[in-house]
């Protein structure tokens, strides 16, 4: 099977479904990013000072996401037409607009292009023709990619693309890898977790390790420096989402104290990396896989967080034929997501095709009479965690990854 | 998955198929009228808006409210009034049951002859609280109540007709986009074939 054919098939699929499925997050980020063209630099302070503009909520991402979408806003608006801006300013349920299909397609277009590019980058990791074909099929046609990119239109694939690129260049150009992670962290914060590992893997000499780390940290700090004096920046980005949830899983010690499980695992992995894999960039893949996977397995995650580890999970799955484990992961993930008590993560995705779905209760509410949805969701999360753990264990114990 | 193109077609058709089944057979209520929100306003005494439903069997009104810091325990009332100002439907609720934000669902016995009748949706404060509830309005200057009104679907066949008519209307309503989109898909399919 020609690999180009698979890429074309993927492009066909995502462009086919893009116009028809809706999630308000995409609308929100474009709504807030429009202020960039009006000269607003500090979006956090602007929203805090203009609460009437915060109809859809504050800007909760790092600043490079704002600038990126601020630039993308211009061509999207040009092609979307005159009513696009007023549609963006309406509530999350404004799905009855005549041109909504056009808007959804245009907003998702850059995200889909990044998704296709990431698929092409993944081919760099394996040489066997059949493995390369499977990589592409799994990357484009798995439930996480279809849901997060095709249906929701989340932009996590952009920092994911940078992290894949970082892994590719780590061996020969570690400073570039660190720079890429620093830039990616300016769009979504999670790549910062990979930076210490990249530093250690790049060299055996601690001086070199510190320099590599400093490059990535400097790029990230450069991105956020202008906003460090803005109180709203801290509230919107640094104390929300992942930065809080990784501290939720804990073992109680009494008197309010806990052992924080996710940080403990990250620290243990770092020590393991430092002791065994310092200066071995070819051993990087299990760390790129396991660190972001912890955010999914060990927290009450947002659906799109599963994309962070996905390329590396797929690489591990194909290399070691871990299809049962991957199946557990995907099925568990899908069940957890469908059991979120949030219409927009379930029926609401179809709202552009039928606004009437917004009158439906989420599936979690519908099954409440028969079964505790939280217990069911917990069981599904456990299945996901087992699948994730199995793949991670195999990745660390095989140690046969070579780029 | 030997032929990825066929896989992609099957997956896409599956998604559209699910959407059609949900729309035609699971969704029991359809959107009648929507007044989108653009701002939030404190409900001091009452706020209302009159509209004319386009369908019979009006049965749900969704209004988005906010209860900052979940502090309010104001007693509130939802009223649906007819053209004479008489109460057709009334639902009392407490601010304690309002989250921040909250999409409040006011569901009532369907009004069988709602089509073409001017009806007024009114939200009023029965007993105030120092921490008031905020309600979604179109904008802070005009202060018109924002809400979405749904009606009960008449029957399965009518629902299927409704759904297909809705999709057709949207495609024809933006024919320029769909033409370009179809050309794009065709180009990709052709390029794939030639590879």
């Amino acid at each position: 099977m020609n690999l180009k054919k698979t890429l074309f098939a993927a492009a066909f699929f995502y462009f086919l479904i893009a116009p028809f499925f809706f999630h308000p997050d995409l609308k929100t980020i474009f709504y807030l990013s429009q202020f960039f063209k009006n000269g607003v630099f500090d979006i956090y302070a602007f929203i805090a000072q203009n609460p009437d503009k915060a109809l859809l909520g504050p800007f909760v991402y790092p600043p490079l996401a704002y600038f990126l979408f601020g630039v993308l806003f211009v061509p999207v608006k040009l092609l979307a037409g005159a009513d696009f801006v007023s549609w963006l300013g309406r509530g999350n349920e404004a799905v009855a607009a005549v041109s909504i299909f056009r808007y959804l397609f245009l907003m998702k277009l850059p995200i889909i292009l990044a998704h296709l590019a990431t698929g092409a980058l993944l081919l760099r990791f394996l040489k066997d023709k059949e493995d390369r074909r499977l990589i592409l099929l799994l990357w484009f046609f798995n439930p996480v990619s279809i849901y997060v990119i095709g249906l929701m239109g989340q932009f996590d694939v952009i920092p994911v693309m940078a992290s894949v690129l970082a892994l590719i260049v780590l061996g020969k150009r570690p400073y570039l890898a660190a720079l890429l992670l620093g830039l990616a962290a300016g769009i979504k914060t999670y790549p910062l977790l990979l930076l210490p590992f990249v530093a250690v893997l790049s060299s055996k000499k601690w001086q070199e390790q510190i320099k590599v780390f400093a490059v990535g940290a400097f790029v990230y700090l450069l991105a956020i420096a202008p906003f460090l004096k803005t109180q709203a920046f801290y509230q919107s980005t640094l104390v929300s989402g992942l930065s809080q949830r990784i501290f939720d899983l804990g073992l109680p010690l009494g008197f309010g104290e806990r052992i924080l499980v996710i940080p403990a695992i990250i620290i243990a992995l770092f020590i393991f990396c430092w002791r065994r894999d310092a200066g071995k960039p070819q051993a990087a893949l299990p760390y790129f896989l396991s660190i972001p996977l912890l955010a999914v397995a060990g927290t009450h995650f947002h659906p799109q967080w599963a994309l962070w580890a996905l390329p590396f999970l797929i690489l591990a799955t194909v290399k070691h034929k871990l299809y049962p484990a991957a199946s557990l992961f995907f099925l568990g993930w899908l069940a957890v997501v469908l059991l979120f008590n949030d219409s927009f993560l379930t029926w609401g995705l179809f709202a552009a095709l039928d606004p009437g779905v917004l009158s439906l209760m989420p599936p979690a509410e519908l099954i409440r009479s028969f079964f505790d949805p939280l217990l069911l969701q917990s069981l599904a999360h456990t299945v996901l965690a087992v699948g994730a753990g199995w793949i991670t264990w195999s990745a660390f114990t095989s140690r046969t990854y070579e780029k | 998955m030997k032929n990825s193109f066929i896989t992609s077609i099957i997956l896409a058709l599956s998604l559209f198929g699910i959407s059609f089944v949900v729309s035609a057979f699971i969704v029991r209520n359809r959107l009648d009228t929507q007044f989108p929100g653009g701002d939030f306003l404190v409900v001091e005494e009452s706020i209302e808006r009159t509209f004319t439903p386009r369908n019979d069997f009006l049965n749900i009104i969704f209004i988005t409210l906010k209860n900052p810091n979940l502090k309010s325990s104001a007693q509130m009332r939802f009223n649906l009034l007819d053209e004479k100002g008489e109460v057709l439907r009334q639902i009392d609720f407490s601010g304690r049951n309002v989250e921040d934000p909250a999409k409040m669902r006011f569901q009532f016995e369907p009004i069988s002859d709602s089509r073409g009748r001017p009806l007024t949706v009114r939200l009023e404060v029965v007993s105030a609280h120092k921490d008031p509830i905020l309600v979604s309005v179109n904008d802070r200057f005009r202060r018109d109540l924002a809400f979405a009104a749904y009606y009960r679907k008449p029957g399965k066949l009518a629902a299927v007709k409704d759904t297909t008519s809705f999709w057709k209307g949207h495609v024809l309503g933006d024919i320029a986009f769909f033409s370009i989109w179809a050309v794009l898909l065709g180009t990709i399919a052709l390029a794939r074939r030639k590879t």
Side-chain angles (χ1 to χ4, degrees):
Chain A
M1 161 69 61
N2 188 321
L3 294 174
K4 278 188 189 168
K5 279 188 188 290
T6 308
L7 279 168
F8 279 124
F12 183 90
F13 171 72
Y14 281 92
F15 289 141
L16 177 60
I17 68 171
F20 302 108
F21 300 94
F22 170 79
H23 189 273
D25 280 1
L26 185 59
K27 181 168 168 289
T28 301
I29 193 167
F30 270 91
Y31 167 75
L32 290 166
S33 299
Q34 69 173 306
F35 298 114
F36 183 57
K37 73 164 179 26
N38 298 337
V40 172
F41 180 78
D42 188 341
I43 185 65
Y44 312 99
F46 178 77
I47 291 297
Q49 289 156 14
N50 298 278
D52 55 310
K53 305 276 188 240
L55 166 74
L56 303 179
F59 194 83
V60 297
Y61 307 110
L64 292 188
Y66 171 64
F67 298 134
L68 174 65
F69 280 89
V71 166
L72 289 172
F73 180 83
V74 175
V76 167
K77 196 238 170 202
L78 197 64
L79 295 169
D83 292 333
F84 179 59
V85 173
S86 64
W87 172 74
L88 286 176
R90 294 186 212 143
N92 285 342
E93 297 183 11
V95 292
V98 169
S99 299
I100 189 170
F101 297 137
R102 174 198 296 231
Y103 301 156
L104 291 172
F105 178 84
L106 290 170
M107 290 191 295
K108 287 181 190 172
L109 183 56
I111 295 164
I112 292 172
L113 292 175
H115 185 47
L116 294 170
T118 307
L121 285 175
L122 285 175
L123 294 174
R124 301 277 297 264
F125 288 95
L126 295 169
K127 293 188 173 56
D128 179 82
K129 201 170 174 186
E130 181 60 17
D131 283 350
R132 284 153 69 94
R133 185 184 78 89
L134 284 170
I135 287 273
L136 286 186
L137 287 174
L138 275 178
W139 172 245
F140 289 121
F141 298 111
N142 72 83
V144 174
S145 292
I146 293 172
Y147 183 98
V148 169
I149 294 167
L151 305 191
M152 286 182 87
Q154 292 285 350
F155 65 91
D156 295 62
V157 71
I158 297 174
V160 164
M161 183 174 65
S163 69
V164 171
L165 207 46
L167 184 58
I168 289 172
V169 303
L170 175 56
K172 290 187 179 163
R173 301 169 78 173
Y175 289 103
L176 179 58
L179 186 141
L180 285 165
L181 289 180
L183 282 173
I187 298 173
K188 279 239 171 165
T189 319
Y190 84 88
L192 282 182
L193 295 172
L194 295 172
L195 195 53
F197 294 86
V198 160
V200 167
L201 290 161
S202 67
S203 173
K204 283 191 174 180
K205 296 180 187 169
W206 65 267
Q207 298 93 332
E208 275 300 309
Q209 292 171 358
I210 287 177
K211 281 186 202 170
V212 169
F213 181 83
V215 164
F218 175 74
V219 168
Y220 174 70
L221 287 171
L222 200 63
I224 68 169
F227 311 96
L228 288 173
K229 285 187 181 172
T230 306
Q231 181 65 22
F233 171 68
Y234 292 98
Q235 287 162 353
S236 299
T237 59
L238 296 184
V239 288
S240 67
L242 177 66
S243 58
Q244 293 302 298
R245 294 190 193 190
I246 57 171
F247 300 123
D248 284 345
L249 183 61
L251 299 171
L253 298 174
F255 296 95
E257 223 189 320
R258 295 178 301 141
I259 299 287
L260 301 173
V261 174
I262 304 296
I265 295 174
I266 292 175
I267 292 167
L269 281 171
F270 179 75
I271 294 171
F272 182 80
C273 179
W274 176 57
R275 291 292 301 269
R276 286 198 46 178
D277 293 324
K280 296 180 190 171
Q282 68 274 18
L285 182 58
Y287 301 100
F288 273 68
L289 165 66
S290 57
I291 299 300
L293 209 52
L294 282 170
V296 178
T299 73
H300 186 69
F301 57 86
H302 290 235
Q304 59 269 28
W305 293 3
L307 209 63
W308 302 345
L310 191 65
F312 316 112
L313 184 143
I314 285 172
L315 282 172
T317 299
V318 170
K319 189 67 181 174
H320 295 290
K321 310 290 183 270
L322 298 169
Y323 302 111
S327 300
L328 282 180
F329 175 82
F330 286 125
L331 283 171
W333 176 87
L334 197 58
V336 169
V337 168
L338 293 179
L339 286 167
F340 277 122
N341 201 350
D342 182 345
S343 296
F344 284 114
L345 292 179
T346 51
W347 310 120
L349 292 166
F350 300 101
L353 286 164
D354 182 359
V357 298
L358 294 175
S359 69
L360 292 174
M361 284 194 276
E365 284 302 317
L366 293 174
I367 66 167
R368 196 178 286 280
S369 317
F370 312 103
F371 202 90
D372 179 1
L374 279 174
L375 177 58
L376 197 57
Q377 193 178 43
S378 301
L379 284 168
H381 204 142
T382 305
V383 167
L384 175 159
V386 167
W390 184 350
I391 294 172
T392 306
W393 176 258
S394 299
F396 271 105
T397 51
S398 70
R399 311 298 299 277
T400 59
Y401 283 94
E402 301 282 340
K403 286 203 303 293
Chain B
M1 283 200 286
K2 287 204 172 196
N3 189 324
S4 54
F5 191 68
I6 293 181
T7 304
S8 66
I9 301 264
I10 291 172
L11 277 171
L13 286 176
S14 301
L15 286 168
F16 293 131
I18 292 170
S19 175
F20 185 82
V21 165
V22 168
S23 182
F25 300 105
I26 297 177
V27 173
R28 299 178 70 196
N29 305 289
R30 301 208 77 89
L31 181 68
D32 180 277
T33 307
Q34 185 177 44
F35 297 105
D39 204 343
F40 283 91
L41 203 67
V42 169
V43 185
E44 289 176 10
E45 286 184 7
S46 69
I47 185 167
E48 64 183 47
R49 185 174 196 150
T50 301
F51 77 111
T52 306
R54 293 175 293 173
N55 296 277
D56 287 326
F57 299 100
L58 193 81
N59 72 327
I60 304 176
I61 303 284
F62 283 102
I63 302 175
T64 301
L65 302 177
K66 279 175 73 69
N67 183 3
N69 300 315
L70 306 181
K71 282 186 178 173
S72 181
S73 55
Q75 293 303 310
M76 310 280 295
R77 178 169 290 158
F78 164 86
N79 280 317
L80 189 65
L81 312 170
D82 67 10
E83 56 273 14
K84 294 174 190 166
E86 289 183 10
V87 175
L88 290 174
R89 302 286 186 270
Q90 187 177 85
I91 300 171
D92 286 346
F93 65 99
S94 168
R96 282 208 189 95
N97 297 325
V98 178
E99 293 181 356
D100 186 25
K103 181 181 157 188
M104 299 297 288
R105 180 192 184 105
F106 300 101
Q107 184 159 1
F108 41 83
E109 193 63 30
I111 299 170
S112 57
D113 59 347
S114 54
R115 183 179 174 183
R117 287 174 71 184
L119 299 176
T120 300
V121 174
R122 180 190 290 165
L123 208 61
E124 57 191 41
V125 179
V126 174
S127 123
H129 189 267
K130 62 179 173 59
D131 297 297
I133 295 289
L134 288 82
V135 67
S136 178
V137 295
N138 57 343
D139 64 61
R140 62 173 47 187
F141 302 108
R142 292 201 334 247
R143 302 180 169 210
D144 294 320
L145 181 62
F147 61 84
Y150 287 77
Y151 68 99
R152 173 66 56 88
K153 284 195 311 190
K156 296 269 185 290
L157 188 59
V160 169
K161 280 185 183 170
D162 259 357
T163 300
T164 46
S165 163
F166 179 85
W167 290 5
K168 188 175 157 189
H170 267 61
V171 170
L172 294 175
D174 200 355
I175 197 73
F177 162 69
F178 279 103
S179 303
I180 296 170
W181 174 76
V183 167
L184 172 67
L185 290 177
T187 305
I188 294 172
L190 209 61
R192 182 197 162 269
R193 215 183 149 107
K194 287 187 176 176
T195 308

